[in-house]
Amino acid sequence: MPSTTTDTPRVWVCRAGKRGEDEEACLRDNLAIIGFRDVTDLSRFVTFDALLQELRRVDPENREKRAENRARQLRAFRDTIQDGDIIVLPLKTRSGQIAVGKASGAYRYAVVDGEKRHVRSVKWLRPDVPRSVFQQDLLHSFGAFLTVCEVTRHEASRRVAGVLEGKPDPGYDDREEGVSTEGSDTVTVPVAELPNVEEAALDQIRSFIRDRFRDHAMAGLVAAVLRAEGYVTEVSPPGADGGADILAGRGPLGLDAPFLCVQVKATEAAADVKLLRELSGTMDAFKATHGLLVCWGGYTRAAEREARAQSYKIRLWGQDELLKALLSNYDRLSEEVKAELPFKRVWVLVREEEEA
């Protein structure tokens, strides 16, 4: 069984709000920001028992297990995370992306956007890693219902460190289940804990689409979604396409407005402003009224900012937007396309995160 050396950095998930409300500030200011707004400066509580007592006091439901769980998360954030440890932030506000960086400073109770918050400095080395870069087992761990937790199973440290260096996640072959440390002085992802079921299902679909619809095949998938939404589409053959993978319009022949010019990139790399500007030029060449840029790897922050200035002319689709459009139109897809996408709608109980 592979061993882990003592100098290997630990991997921590640190979330930034149930709805990702602190994510922009995290990436903007190179911080990890966690919730727990009902708890004051953690530096005031020297011992674990003192912190636990405070959490008992502020919890209106007075649940002992919840207070202990929150105390372990807060102490891990304050004391256990060390400089050089890897911080993982699954992003809820950016399409199908995960920010990965390294801790670079001690805990602080600092002012962020006019409010005192629990923070640590983080150097975000890769703020836009596509979720599909990671294998399913790591994505399950990243989806645990905790705000702060350590990911230890299946050589997570070695694998996430490799992704930080630009390598693909190699996965893990050994099926051993590891050991849960629930009840210890830190918080790891419990072995038996179910992941966020909704996110886990979407991750499976992401992996399936990534593997099944590579390169030009993804343009065909996007065209199928547009046809389900009432467009008549013309898909360019593989090769040089003049910057337009798909041309689409309304009406029986596709000759009615709006006229849509679509560029599709199936790569894992985030698209930059250059692609956005190229699409704008292609729209002029084809006299299109609207543009759609679809990039499986998502977009850089600069591309997203520039796209906002053209929000009534050009839209960006990443993994999340493509999946949303695909699932909402699934019943209207052709039988041929459905055969390539063997999906089934089911109802599941969606749990809330323990603390965000």
Side-chain angles (χ1 to χ4, degrees):
M1 184 182 303
S3 61
T4 303
T5 60
T6 55
D7 59 351
T8 303
R10 299 165 79 168
V11 176
W12 300 88
V13 172
C14 294
R15 303 190 190 282
K18 287 185 178 181
R19 293 166 295 280
E21 53 267 28
D22 292 321
E23 290 175 0
E24 184 62 29
C26 285
L27 300 177
R28 180 195 69 208
D29 298 337
N30 281 302
L31 295 172
I33 307 171
I34 59 173
F36 302 90
R37 285 176 165 85
D38 57 339
V39 184
T40 187
D41 186 355
L42 301 181
S43 302
R44 295 176 51 185
F45 309 104
V46 178
T47 66
F48 181 81
D49 286 342
L51 177 57
L52 181 58
Q53 184 62 32
E54 173 67 8
L55 291 168
R56 290 176 180 141
R57 185 187 69 80
V58 300
D59 187 353
E61 299 181 17
N62 196 26
R63 290 183 292 171
E64 182 66 19
K65 185 175 180 180
R66 181 173 187 265
E68 292 177 356
N69 183 290
R70 299 180 80 209
R72 287 196 297 271
Q73 292 184 69
L74 287 169
R75 189 162 79 162
F77 188 75
R78 184 189 71 180
D79 299 334
T80 313
I81 296 175
Q82 301 295 312
D83 286 0
D85 281 356
I86 296 172
I87 307 298
V88 174
L89 172 58
L91 297 169
K92 297 186 177 183
T93 58
R94 300 179 64 183
S95 179
Q97 294 182 341
I98 296 175
V100 186
K102 289 191 174 184
S104 58
Y107 165 81
R108 292 178 287 132
Y109 193 52
V111 175
V112 179
D113 295 335
E115 182 183 0
K116 282 287 191 115
R117 305 300 305 279
H118 305 290
V119 307
R120 292 191 66 131
S121 293
V122 177
K123 185 176 182 181
W124 296 110
L125 301 172
R126 295 196 64 187
D128 48 21
V129 180
R131 291 184 65 91
S132 54
V133 165
F134 294 101
Q135 298 294 324
Q136 195 69 47
D137 60 330
L138 282 186
L139 291 174
H140 281 175
S141 293
F142 296 164
F145 291 94
L146 297 166
T147 295
V148 180
C149 60
E150 183 180 7
V151 181
T152 59
R153 301 175 61 215
H154 295 173
E155 293 194 308
S157 178
R158 175 183 62 83
R159 293 163 59 188
V160 180
V163 170
L164 265 181
E165 296 172 359
K167 303 173 185 176
D169 174 13
Y172 187 74
D173 292 331
D174 193 332
R175 296 296 90 189
E176 62 88 26
E177 287 298 320
V179 178
S180 169
T181 60
E182 186 173 2
S184 71
D185 64 351
T186 186
V187 180
T188 65
V189 179
V191 170
E193 179 171 317
L194 290 175
N196 181 318
V197 177
E198 182 182 16
E199 195 61 64
L202 290 175
D203 282 331
Q204 285 186 321
I205 294 173
R206 288 185 183 101
S207 295
F208 181 86
I209 291 175
R210 176 198 61 197
D211 295 338
R212 180 67 63 90
F213 297 92
R214 294 184 178 275
D215 303 323
H216 193 69
M218 189 166 287
L221 180 62
V222 174
V225 172
L226 293 175
R227 288 194 295 273
E229 292 191 344
Y231 284 92
V232 175
T233 64
E234 177 185 340
V235 182
S236 299
D241 53 23
D245 289 308
I246 305 167
L247 295 174
R250 298 284 189 176
L253 299 177
L255 299 177
D256 297 338
F259 304 112
L260 188 61
C261 179
V262 187
Q263 183 64 268
V264 181
K265 298 295 181 183
T267 63
E268 299 281 10
D272 58 16
V273 293
K274 180 181 178 182
L275 280 175
L276 185 65
R277 293 167 183 170
E278 288 176 354
L279 175 60
S280 184
T282 303
M283 289 168 58
D284 292 339
F286 283 94
K287 296 181 172 55
T289 55
H290 296 84
L292 173 63
L293 181 58
V294 182
C295 182
W296 185 250
Y299 302 89
T300 64
R301 295 175 69 195
E304 289 180 337
R305 285 194 297 267
E306 186 158 322
R308 288 193 194 101
Q310 304 183 65
S311 58
Y312 292 109
K313 181 179 178 183
I314 296 177
R315 289 299 168 91
L316 305 182
W317 279 9
Q319 293 179 22
D320 287 351
E321 289 81 12
L322 177 57
L323 286 182
K324 182 178 179 180
L326 177 63
L327 295 177
S328 64
N329 287 286
Y330 185 77
D331 291 338
R332 292 188 290 273
L333 296 174
S334 69
E335 294 303 318
E336 180 182 4
V337 175
K338 286 182 183 178
E340 295 188 68
L341 298 164
F343 298 165
K344 180 179 180 180
R345 184 180 288 111
V346 297
W347 292 98
V348 296
L349 179 65
V350 179
R351 296 168 56 199
E352 292 292 329
E353 293 174 11
E354 177 65 23
E355 171 64 57

